[in-house]
Amino acid sequence: MSHLNYNHLYYFWMVCKQGSVSKAADALFLTPQTVTGQIRALEERLKGKLTKRAGRNIEPTELGQLVFKYADKMFGLSYEMLDIVNYSQREHQLFDVGVADALSKSLVSRVLLKALPEDDGIHLRCFESTHELLLEQLSQHKLDMILSDCPVDSTQSPGLFSVKIGESLMSFFCSADFTKKRFPAEIEEHKLLIPSTRTAMGRKLMHWFDSQGITPTILGEFDDAALIKAFGSNHKAMFVAPTFYSSDVLELPNVQEVAKVEALKEEYYVIFAERMIQHPAVKRICEADLSKLFH
């Protein structure tokens, strides 16, 4: 077989990634007709059909799956090459970090400070969203790293890795009158503010309530840890926060710590793609001793 037109292959790869010709055309700034024509040319070159209809979307045929598998490796390597070239040539290296909105902003700032060299050679950009949306952006090469409260499932997201950087016990705090001796039963006597059940800690907390036979009265669920603290200090309610920053929480008016719960631990991870292992900021965070941040 003579030379393959890699533009044709790239357009086919984009259609598979986007799920439709129209979405791929928008991403490529081309007309759908142009993209379709290029894929037909590739099909003629490979002597086989590469795509088929699946409702309103397009999916690869058996031949298309084989071609996409190799194309995905090829273009993944090309992105890796460009990243490495950019790291070596830029005076200030861009470092785009996604932050799961469930995390304490105080903790995030202290972790990211470990990534910044003394010569200010890193240009840091932070973006906040849910764990799921950040993973999607990371897999699309739109982020360099994620800070999150749960690891990546490598079977669902091949090529992504997670490293645990620490953990913290969880504490219950209260801005209303309470009796420590009756904990955890007293939880049922207060309105409760908890991390969203979309977060890892929110799900752990609901399982813990079940194990304790507790039926909580939930006043609110929050994706943002800072909002829980703000609401907790302004409402007669009990709320949950990582124990390691209890000193910050206890500065709030009328807030007291009710109890630490040994069975509840929030974990913290950095997540990155394989191509980012050599990024200097990722290496600094993975190699840093962050244990003091969680005590």
Side-chain angles (χ1 to χ4, degrees), residues 165-176:
I165 58 173
E167 63 179 30
S168 172
L169 294 180
M170 299 297 286
S171 288
F172 281 78
F173 299 88
C174 196
S175 56

Side-chain angles (χ1 to χ4, degrees), residues 2 12 24 44 53-54 76 185 191 198 272 280:
S2 61
F12 165 71
E44 291 174 5
R53 282 280 173 191
K191 293 179 180 179
R198 295 185 302 176
F272 49 89

Side-chain angles (χ1 to χ4, degrees), residues 71-222:
D72 203 37
K73 291 179 180 178
M74 290 167 57
F75 294 118
L77 281 172
S78 72
Y79 281 116
E80 180 179 339
M81 178 194 70
L82 289 173
D83 285 339
I84 292 171
V85 170
N86 288 336
Y87 301 156
S88 62
Q89 290 183 345
R90 282 181 178 164
E91 182 179 351
H92 295 283
Q93 297 172 354
L94 280 177
F95 188 42
D96 291 336
V97 179
V99 178
D101 41 23
L103 297 186
S104 156
K105 305 306 175 287
S106 173
L107 170 68
V108 169
S109 64
R110 284 180 279 178
V111 171
L112 291 179
L113 281 172
K114 297 289 185 178
L116 302 179
E118 294 182 0
D119 63 2
D120 296 324
I122 296 289
H123 181 157
L124 180 65
R125 298 192 299 191
C126 291
F127 307 89
E128 189 175 14
S129 190
T130 64
H131 174 82
E132 292 75 16
L133 288 176
L134 292 174
L135 276 183
E136 183 178 335
Q137 291 181 315
L138 183 64
S139 65
Q140 295 173 355
H141 312 284
K142 295 178 181 178
L143 293 173
D144 296 326
M145 190 187 78
I146 296 173
L147 285 169
S148 186
D149 59 341
C150 53
V152 68
D153 183 347
S154 57
T155 61
Q156 298 295 320
S157 303
L160 298 184
F161 300 87
S162 47
V163 174
K164 184 176 177 180
I165 58 173
E167 63 179 30
S168 172
L169 294 180
M170 299 297 286
S171 288
F172 281 78
F173 299 88
C174 196
S175 56
D177 293 333
F178 64 90
T179 306
K180 279 189 178 182
K181 293 181 180 179
R182 298 186 60 247
F183 185 88
E186 194 188 10
I187 291 174
E188 295 184 324
E189 300 175 13
H190 294 270
K191 293 179 180 179
L192 193 62
L193 308 173
I194 66 169
S196 168
T197 49
R198 295 185 302 176
T199 66
M201 178 46 62
R203 293 188 290 272
K204 288 179 183 178
L205 195 57
M206 297 307 292
H207 288 310
W208 183 76
F209 288 144
D210 288 341
S211 71
Q212 299 296 312
I214 293 171
T215 304
T217 301
I218 297 175
L219 176 62
E221 296 183 27
F222 300 85

